[in-house]
Amino acid sequence: KHMVTQFGVSATALADKLEPAAAAGGTVEIEAELYAMALDVIGKAVFNYEFGALEQETPLIKAVYRVLRESEHRSTFPLQYWNIPGAMEVVPRQKQFKEDITAINDELSALIQSAMASRDETDLEEMEARDYANVEDASLLRFLVDIRGDEATGEQLRDDLMTMLIAGHETTAAVLTWTMYLLATNPEEARLAAAEVDAVVADPGGVPTMEEIRKLKRTRLVLAEAMRLYPAPPILIRRALEDVTLPRGGMGREITLKKGTDCFIAVWNLHRSPDLWESPETFDPMRFTRAFSNP
């Protein structure tokens, strides 16, 4: 419930920022704004850190965005040239990446050290009983430090938090961006979703409570359908740790993956396959309420 309030604060800040453009009938680059909002949410919820991304783009925020772009580059580039000795010092983008990672790690390490210095070791039952409305720091970092106790290490926490920072806010922003696009291009669905929010949410500012969120059934289906059409990420990469034979699929034959094989799982294609979905190219949030059997 406490996190819902935090999310509402960031969403309201974005709505206030967009209001002048809406009143003037202007246009905005909504993807950039949603990225900033998602980064603010991640910062507060995970680290109790104020990025202030909706207000200004600080050097640390720029470093986060560059690391994200480099991660995308590395996941698709066929040659891992960055592993070549000296590449991180010679290739400009790799040199920048190294500097950015250092800057982010330094900031995360400082936050972790601060949290560990004020550690209040407890068990899960006591943690769940806390009144988070009156807790100054209700972040995930505080939770991990208090619940893990002496088992928590700075390096382990930093790696976990880095994953959430880089991957978490990008996927959230991507889902919201494509949802906004689909609602903009399907005005009737947008009208129905807005009508549900108006009917369920009591706050005049539009920030729902946890109980109200559970009642926003159509809104949830809109998000689910947006993630079906535009999954984040659209491709998953897995590596076979041993030889494994996959069962017969649509090709009608078994396939054996050798140990060390990198597998690209095309989630985008699975979500748009006519073998798995009725009218797969159509934006239809209510499809999840209807029974459907694969041919």
Side-chain angles (χ1 to χ4, degrees):
K1 293 182 179 180
H2 179 74
M3 289 297 179
V4 169
T5 301
Q6 289 190 348
F7 300 162
V9 169
S10 294
T12 300
L14 175 57
D16 292 344
K17 183 178 180 180
L18 297 177
E19 190 171 358
T27 59
V28 295
E29 187 182 345
I30 194 64
E31 181 182 27
E33 300 296 347
L34 289 171
Y35 265 72
M37 184 195 73
L39 187 57
D40 282 348
V41 168
I42 288 287
K44 192 64 178 174
V46 177
F47 318 109
N48 195 37
Y49 182 84
E50 296 282 359
F51 276 106
L54 281 170
E55 300 172 4
Q56 60 178 333
E57 197 172 74
T58 64
L60 183 62
I61 292 173
K62 292 179 181 178
V64 171
Y65 288 153
R66 284 194 297 264
V67 166
L68 178 59
R69 289 194 292 270
E70 178 61 24
S71 299
E72 293 172 347
H73 168 70
R74 291 188 175 196
S75 69
T76 56
F77 201 80
L79 175 64
Q80 298 181 3
Y81 65 89
W82 47 88
N83 288 329
I84 299 174
M88 298 296 289
E89 285 72 36
V90 176
V91 181
R93 70 177 299 151
Q94 298 308 319
K95 185 177 180 180
Q96 181 67 65
F97 175 71
K98 185 177 180 179
E99 294 173 356
D100 291 337
I101 283 290
T102 299
I104 297 171
N105 279 338
D106 288 346
E107 191 65 41
L108 290 180
S109 295
L111 292 171
I112 291 169
Q113 289 173 8
S114 177
M116 295 184 75
S118 58
R119 181 171 59 200
D120 180 17
E121 190 171 340
T122 185
D123 58 26
L124 182 60
E125 184 178 354
E126 182 181 343
M127 187 77 69
E128 292 177 340
R130 283 181 178 177
D131 180 7
Y132 284 96
N134 297 313
V135 174
E136 182 178 351
D137 180 3
S139 66
L140 180 60
L141 171 58
R142 165 57 55 199
F143 175 86
L144 292 175
V145 167
D146 289 352
I147 203 69
R148 289 182 180 178
D150 292 334
E151 296 180 4
T153 65
E155 184 177 358
Q156 178 190 27
L157 286 170
R158 191 190 66 198
D159 291 344
D160 290 344
L161 297 177
M162 177 71 82
T163 299
M164 288 183 233
L165 173 62
I166 300 301
H169 94 276
E170 191 273 341
T171 50
T172 301
V175 168
L176 293 175
T177 299
W178 285 115
T179 301
M180 295 291 285
Y181 165 76
L182 288 166
L183 289 175
T185 52
N186 294 271
E188 179 59 18
E189 291 294 344
R191 186 191 68 78
L192 292 171
E196 179 183 62
V197 172
D198 290 341
V200 172
V201 180
D203 177 23
V207 178
T209 64
M210 193 66 213
E211 291 73 21
E212 289 171 339
I213 288 176
R214 293 191 177 100
K215 297 177 182 178
L216 295 172
K217 296 181 179 179
R218 191 177 196 97
T219 302
R220 180 176 61 82
L221 295 177
V222 165
L223 289 166
E225 179 70 341
M227 287 188 282
R228 181 190 70 81
L229 283 167
Y230 297 98
I235 292 177
L236 298 175
I237 305 174
R238 295 293 184 268
R239 176 170 295 168
L241 299 181
E242 58 185 29
D243 290 358
V244 58
T245 299
L246 302 180
R248 296 178 185 272
M251 298 176 63
R253 61 187 178 88
E254 294 181 345
I255 295 177
T256 298
L257 302 176
K258 297 296 184 181
K259 179 180 179 180
T261 301
D262 286 337
C263 305
F264 285 69
I265 304 170
V267 181
W268 174 287
N269 299 74
L270 289 172
H271 285 190
R272 291 171 179 257
S273 170
D275 293 335
L276 305 174
W277 304 92
E278 180 183 10
S279 303
E281 300 295 332
T282 302
F283 177 62
D284 179 14
M286 300 309 291
R287 71 168 65 247
F288 298 105
T289 66
R290 302 189 300 268
F292 175 72
S293 298
N294 297 338

